[in-house]
Amino acid sequence: MNYKLIDMPVHGDKRGKLVAIENLKDIPFEIKRVYYMFDTLPNESRGYHAHKDLEQVIIAMDGACRFVLDDGVNRETILLNRPDVGLYIGPGMWREMHDFSYGCKLVVLASKYYDEKEYIRNYDDFLASLKK
Ligand code: TYD
């Protein structure tokens, strides 16, 4: 399975906590794009795609969301619910996002600019891509 959880370094004192993310240090790729999701709803799932080459780190800045990750053989569920943990997902992974808490905010750091041609949005096409 081409994913891992990354513990972000937390700087905390009595005023609160702070996480700083530095390119190529805390994140194992060069960050080309940042996007975020908000106003998500518990009964609305998202994702249902894989990427050909894209690498991403996803952080639940607020709230929680359940990720389903699938490499064509194994399928695992990860609960993302901490602002100091990043979920790294590499290429060749089908992903789904379910069970968003109300007001969940997900930040995504990505290794490439947005390119719809880089998506695989059909599960059978994803399985076929693994055999190439
Ligand atoms: P989509 O990839 O379908 O969202 P998810 O996989 O999380 O369900 O993206 C939703 C819309 O946003 C779609 O019209 C494409 C657009 N979009 C961009 O324009 N740029 C981006 O970087 C991303 C991630 C999406």
Side-chain angles (χ1 to χ4, degrees), residues 33 35 37 46-47 49 97 114 119 121:
R33 175 167 54 113
Y35 63 93
M37 281 166 252
R46 305 188 61 119
H49 65 253
M97 289 163 264
Y114 174 71
Y119 280 68
R121 291 195 181 269

Side-chain angles (χ1 to χ4, degrees), residues 30-100:
E30 187 140 17
I31 300 165
K32 285 266 179 60
R33 175 167 54 113
V34 176
Y35 63 93
Y36 48 93
M37 281 166 252
F38 61 104
D39 278 357
T40 52
L41 292 169
N43 53 348
E44 295 287 351
S45 297
R46 305 188 61 119
Y48 298 96
H49 65 253
H51 290 282
K52 292 176 185 164
D53 297 309
L54 189 74
E55 296 175 275
Q56 293 178 308
V57 170
I58 301 138
I59 303 163
M61 296 302 299
D62 196 12
C65 157
R66 186 170 62 82
F67 269 75
V68 170
L69 297 177
D70 181 331
D71 67 358
V73 178
N74 299 300
R75 185 165 263 251
E76 293 181 19
T77 289
I78 292 110
L79 181 67
L80 212 55
N81 61 355
R82 293 182 62 107
D84 57 355
V85 172
L87 171 62
Y88 168 86
I89 308 178
M93 296 289 289
W94 182 262
R95 82 283 316 269
E96 300 169 9
M97 289 163 264
H98 303 282
D99 302 335
F100 285 94

Side-chain angles (χ1 to χ4, degrees), residues 14-42:
K14 63 178 171 46
R15 297 170 299 169
K17 291 178 179 160
L18 181 154
V19 170
I21 297 170
E22 297 197 352
N23 211 18
L24 297 169
K25 291 186 186 168
D26 308 291
I27 304 297
F29 54 77
E30 187 140 17
I31 300 165
K32 285 266 179 60
R33 175 167 54 113
V34 176
Y35 63 93
Y36 48 93
M37 281 166 252
F38 61 104
D39 278 357
T40 52
L41 292 169

